[in-house]
Every structure is written in structure tokens, then in C-alpha cells.
Amino acid sequence: MSAPLRSPRVAIIGAGMSGLCMAITLRRAGITDITIYEKAESVGGTWRDNTYPGLSCDVPSRFYQFTFAPKPDWSHLFSPGAEIREYFTQLAADFGLDECIRFGTEVTHAEFADGRWRLRTSRGDTQDVDFLISATGILHHPRYPAIEGLDDFAGAVFHSARWDHQVELAGKRVAVIGTGSTGAQIVCGLADTVGNLKLFQRTAQWILPLPNPAYTRLTKTLHRIVPGLDQLAYRGYRSAIEWFAQALVKPGRRRRLISAICRANLRTVRDPTLRQALTPDYQPMCKRIVISSRFYRAVQHRNVELVTERIDRVVPGGIVTTDGTLHEVDVIALATGFDAHAFLRPMTLVGENGRTLDEAWRDGPRAHLTVALPGFPNFFMLMGPHSPVGNYSLTAISETQANHALDWIQRWRRAEFDTVAPTQAATDSFNAEMRAAMPDTVWTTGCTSWYLGQDGNPELWPWTPDRHRARLSRLDPAGYDLRTHSTTSAPAGQSYPSPTDSLRHVRRQHH
Ligand code: NA7
């Protein structure tokens, strides 16, 4: 008779899209001792924080859903933010996760000692767990621009991820700073309602004009009643986006085709001066491409003015540009993006031998296969450094990473090891392999973006997302340090990479 499975205690940090994905993946595998720590009062992460007008996802809804939770009645090809938030809220309820989420509780410190993680929270309590999973998101910390006088502005000013719905915008003079996906969506969302809108553009963006049709009632019914249709649609969108992803990571025909579509789209702007002002000086896709069939129309709306002169300062009455013009406005919306490199911050994470995450990442965030860190055993990250987040579905990536973490946890349940962490050598070699592949990617062709780390190199997966899926779907114990506290021998059929390390570690533990 086989031995009963061990029951791990697992902590997940964050109840956003990826934290929910991890919890459900564990639950579906029969693991129930789960605590999700969430510093806010509700689930949804970025979809909870972002509520600005015009918000929608730039990935098709049928591919921005979990494979284990299809939603037949998505309203649009690219559904609005509120609907996506509702999807995640409903998911948490359907899988009974509310009972294991500790809302209003931030993990402030996590330390690995004696084979377990000890967490400390903002409420002052502690918990010991066998596995720690971070699901803290990437686009989480709003980036506020360092513009002189911003605090002295007499009207309302807020970041796009902290939209102040108390502020009435109808008929008002509104400034939007920033022309990424967010700025473009806000312009489309507000052009018809505000008195006038000035869009402050520092860098022009390439726009891919994909339409966003609403799904008909018939389509929704078919998705509900025809078995397999949803899966078919999911796979279809996945293939299409992976086709697109090839253009991101390899020069060639596909990249030229997408560039040609973007350039043709730009030619739809009638006024040559405006067209010139909207023309980027870098290759399409170098920055995350903005997907919108409405942006150029919105920017040509009679209420909308594009300002390309640099911002000099903000004064109580408005924004002064470097040519000395005062642009009088009532409201300033900062669509200035996020600090995408503040993984896990501000909590402190302490791995083996008292080594902190700050020390481990002195030269920038580096992980093994996007999910694990040497010296931080039984710790997995979702959306960690170099995840394939460039114009791809983050729900799909989460599922891949959550399944990978589950695979390790299942081995732990079968008592194949007590702790697992990648070796430094494997992590270094993976990072070197990534660096070598980076020059082929479009992100290195000469632009700045949130994809680039402190050293100017992209912090993205430099291959296609299907390679990420393939690589994470098989566990390769070579490159991992698997240790056991009670015995140094691997179960039959299992060849562990460094039994001597294991032995040494066990000895160290016993003295
Ligand atoms: P992004 O894509 O990082 O865009 C931020 C925008 O804000 C971009 O146009 C920046 O110009 C602009 N920006 C930032 N600071 C300033 C200052 N100081 N002055 C003027 N303009 C500034 O963020 P988003 O929120 O639009 O999108 C983030 C992701 O969310 C998106 O990729 C999707 O995945 C969803 P820059 O280009 O740096 O010159």
C-alpha cells in the first residue's frame, strides 16, 4: 500500500488574477491548507485597482480566461475592465476561496528557517508554511512623474490606477499625461464626454487597429451549449497570439507584416501635421503595442488636442510646456505607467543563510525559469522576472507557472524531498541563455519602455510563450537542489543532482 500523501501548508501573497489561479490549482489537486494574504479588501489585483474610463483588456477575452473556468458570455472580443474584475470575483466565490483569503493583511516579512517559511503580517501575527508563493503582480506600483509643481495644482490630479470617480468630468478641461495603452484608452473613453481633452505625448506610440466587436446573443448561447467550442476558441486565439509573438522575438516576415499594418493605420490620420506628430521614431512593437481601432479617431475628435511640447511644470491653473504656453485645465490624469520591476516590494524576503532578496537581486531581478530563486527553497513566483508578458495573456502564463509550482508540491506530498530550490549554476546558465537570445527581440531595437530593467535590458522571456509552457510543463530535477531532512537518499528511480550537497545540508541541520 502506498504511503498517504503529506498535506502541505501553503501561503499565497496576493489575491489578484495569479494568486487566485494558484489557489484554485492547488484546490483542484486536493490541497486545502491554503492562506491567501491580500492587503486590499477585495480580490482582482490590477482589475480592482484600475477603473478608469475606457478600460479594457488588450488580450481577447476568450484567451484571457482560465482553461478551468470558461465564461461563455463575454460581452466583447476585448472585454471591459469591470467585466474582467467581475469574472475574478465570481471565480473566488465559485471556488470557495473567500474563506481562505485574509483581506486587509499585508505580508511584511518572510524568512526561511528550519525548512519552513515564517511569515509576519501587517497585523503583527505570524504563520509557518511549507511553501510560499508570491503572486504580487507586475503592474502594481503606480509611477508618479517627477513634474515640478504637480502638488500645487488647484484642480484634481490622480493616477490612472487610482481614478477618482468623485470628480465630475462632463464638460471639464482634462489633461491626460502619457500615451501608453492606458492613455490611449482614456482618450477613447473620455473624448465624447469632457469639455476638452489635452493629451500630453512624450513619445508617440504604434497602434495596431484590431476591432472590438460585441458578441451576439447567438454566439454566447453557442459557447454555453456546444461542448468544446470554448476550448477551440481558446486554442485559436492562443495560436494567433503566438504567431504574433514570433514577430516579437525574431526579425523577419511577420515583424514586417505587423509593421506594415501599423504604418497603414497611421496613414488614416488625415492632417499631415498631426500624423507627423503621431509618428514614432522606433520600430513597431519595441514598446508594448497599443491595440485600438478607435484611438486615431478619438485623437482627431474636435474636443481633443495632442500636445507634443515637453511639460515644463505644473502651476495651480494648469500645465506649462517648455515653449511657455499655459494649458489651462481642471483635471490632470496621470497615465504614466507603473514600476514594473518592484517585484514583491516592499516586503522583505530572507532566504537561506540570512540572504535577503535585495542582496540576491543587487544586479536586478533574476530567477530560474521565471519562477524560482536559488537560496530561496520552497518558494515560487507567479509573474516573476522574465515572464513572457509582452502582448500575451497573463492568465495563460499564470496557469503555466501555477501548474509548475503544483508539480513540485505534488512531489513534496509524495515525500520525494523536503525542500527544493534551483541551483545558482542552473540559474546563471538560464540567464546567460536568455541574454544571448535577447538581441533578436524587437524590445532591443532602440526605445525605452517598462519592459526594460535598470541595466537597459528587457526583463522579458526572449522566446515564444509556447516555449515557456513547454519548458515549465516538464520538471527537470537537474539544476535543482532537492533536500530531505530525514534521509539523504532519493526515492527509487529518482536521480538527484547533488547528493553530496544534500548530505552536507542534512548534516548541517543535525548539528
Ligand atoms: P506605459 O505603457 O508605461 O506608458 C506610460 C506613458 O506615460 C508613456 O507614454 C510615457 O512616456 C508617459 N510618461 C511617463 N512619465 C512621463 C512624464 N514625466 N512626462 C510625460 N509623459 C510621461 O503605462 P500604461 O499604464 O499605459 O500601460 C501599462 C500596461 O498596462 C500596458 O502595457 C498594458 O500591459 C496594460 P514615454 O513613452 O516613457 O516617453
Side-chain angles (χ1 to χ4, degrees):
M1 210 175 73
S2 57
L5 291 178
R6 296 197 285 186
S7 296
R9 177 172 279 193
V10 184
I12 300 169
I13 309 175
M17 176 274 289
S18 57
L20 298 179
C21 176
M22 187 73 238
I24 295 168
T25 304
L26 293 171
R27 279 273 173 103
R28 281 159 50 90
I31 296 166
T32 51
D33 193 348
I34 304 167
T35 309
I36 308 179
Y37 290 94
E38 169 54 58
K39 64 182 173 187
E41 296 299 337
S42 56
V43 305
T46 197
W47 297 107
R48 175 200 58 224
D49 294 344
N50 285 278
T51 58
Y52 61 78
L55 170 64
S56 66
C57 184
D58 60 3
V59 172
S61 314
R62 299 216 183 277
F63 186 41
Y64 198 83
Q65 63 181 1
F66 294 123
T67 51
F68 51 77
K71 173 173 153 64
D73 60 348
W74 285 112
S75 68
H76 288 77
L77 178 60
F78 300 97
S79 293
E83 194 177 336
I84 298 170
R85 178 186 180 177
E86 179 50 34
Y87 171 72
F88 290 122
T89 307
Q90 191 58 48
L91 210 62
D94 291 349
F95 283 88
L97 294 183
D98 289 339
E99 67 197 40
C100 67
I101 305 178
R102 293 195 57 197
F103 288 110
T105 311
E106 184 173 356
V107 175
T108 51
H109 183 84
E111 186 155 359
F112 184 79
D114 301 327
R116 303 190 94 196
W117 283 95
R118 168 157 292 190
L119 314 184
R120 259 203 326 262
T121 76
S122 51
R123 291 179 184 266
D125 50 2
T126 59
Q127 193 197 6
D128 288 355
V129 295
D130 300 302
F131 286 91
L132 175 63
I133 317 271
S134 86
T136 52
I138 21 174
L139 301 175
H140 177 60
H141 297 286
R143 203 173 50 197
Y144 288 89
I147 300 175
E148 186 194 321
L150 200 54
D151 293 340
D152 304 327
F153 182 58
V157 48
F158 43 79
H159 190 274
S160 55
R162 302 285 181 270
W163 198 268
D164 185 347
H165 292 276
Q166 304 298 323
V167 177
E168 180 56 63
L169 295 177
K172 292 281 169 54
R173 299 165 302 176
V174 178
V176 176
I177 302 180
T179 48
S181 302
T182 302
Q185 291 189 347
I186 294 174
V187 173
C188 297
L190 289 183
D192 285 333
T193 51
V194 296
N196 73 64
L197 188 151
K198 292 198 178 198
L199 174 62
F200 290 80
Q201 171 186 281
R202 186 165 71 180
T203 312
Q205 284 273 357
W206 286 108
I207 316 282
L208 189 64
L210 298 183
N212 188 16
Y215 284 118
T216 60
R217 198 177 309 163
L218 175 66
T219 315
K220 293 177 193 173
T221 309
L222 285 175
H223 272 271
R224 206 177 54 246
I225 61 174
V226 179
L229 186 59
D230 223 87
Q231 266 187 27
L232 199 69
Y234 183 94
R235 291 215 197 100
Y237 284 114
R238 185 172 74 189
S239 303
I241 296 180
E242 275 168 8
W243 182 94
F244 173 84
Q246 303 252 5
L248 300 171
V249 297
K250 277 261 173 286
R253 198 168 41 88
R254 293 167 209 236
R255 199 179 283 180
R256 285 196 297 278
L257 177 62
I258 293 167
S259 297
I261 297 171
C262 291
R263 287 174 207 280
N265 185 35
L266 182 62
R267 285 197 288 278
T268 63
V269 176
R270 287 187 298 271
D271 174 5
T273 314
L274 180 61
R275 194 187 319 132
Q276 184 55 41
L278 288 167
T279 305
D281 60 0
Y282 56 88
Q283 279 195 40
M285 295 172 285
C286 182
K287 283 175 182 286
R288 187 181 176 103
I289 210 156
V290 173
I291 294 180
S292 176
S293 57
R294 294 169 58 208
F295 176 69
Y296 286 148
R297 222 176 320 135
V299 94
Q300 295 175 84
H301 194 285
R302 60 190 153 72
N303 284 352
V304 177
E305 184 189 332
L306 182 75
V307 180
T308 54
E309 203 67 45
R310 285 293 173 100
I311 295 171
D312 179 47
R313 63 189 189 283
V314 170
V315 293
I319 296 175
V320 179
T321 43
T322 46
D323 59 354
T325 308
L326 168 64
H327 301 265
E328 289 181 284
V329 292
D330 306 307
V331 178
I332 301 177
L334 304 169
T336 44
F338 300 85
D339 179 357
H341 312 287
F343 295 100
L344 289 153
R345 306 308 201 282
M347 69 176 281
T348 48
L349 194 71
V350 184
E352 283 181 313
N353 306 320
R355 188 157 177 255
T356 66
L357 185 69
D358 283 346
E359 284 161 358
W361 282 357
R362 191 167 289 141
D363 299 326
R366 305 274 176 274
H368 186 53
L369 297 178
T370 73
V371 281
L373 275 175
F376 293 76
N378 292 9
F379 169 67
F380 294 99
M381 287 174 283
L382 302 185
M383 299 299 138
H386 293 102
S387 292
V389 298
N391 281 107
Y392 196 68
S393 167
L394 270 63
T395 54
I397 302 164
S398 276
E399 268 193 71
T400 296
Q401 295 174 330
N403 283 323
H404 180 85
L406 173 67
D407 285 349
W408 282 118
I409 294 173
Q410 292 289 44
R411 287 181 172 220
W412 182 95
R413 292 177 86 191
R414 295 194 294 267
E416 293 181 14
F417 62 83
D418 287 321
T419 64
V420 57
T423 63
Q424 188 65 51
T427 308
D428 290 347
S429 130
F430 168 69
N431 278 275
E433 199 189 332
M434 269 196 318
R435 258 194 316 279
M438 222 42 104
D440 268 354
T441 70
V442 71
W443 311 305
T444 59
T445 54
C447 69
T448 59
S449 76
W450 64 264
Y451 288 165
L452 307 184
Q454 289 161 359
D455 57 1
N457 288 315
E459 274 180 8
L460 266 64
W461 180 261
W463 305 286
T464 53
D466 58 342
R467 180 156 164 184
H468 183 253
R469 201 168 54 246
R471 195 121 181 220
L472 269 67
S473 64
R474 61 186 149 78
L475 287 201
D476 180 9
Y480 283 84
D481 188 5
L482 296 153
R483 298 174 184 175
T484 153
H485 301 320
S486 49
T487 168
T488 55
S489 60
Q494 182 79 55
S495 70
Y496 289 167
S498 59
T500 44
D501 274 356
S502 194
L503 189 60
R504 231 178 283 133
H505 178 74
V506 170
R507 283 197 183 129
R508 217 177 23 239
Q509 291 242 329
H510 283 289
H511 288 298

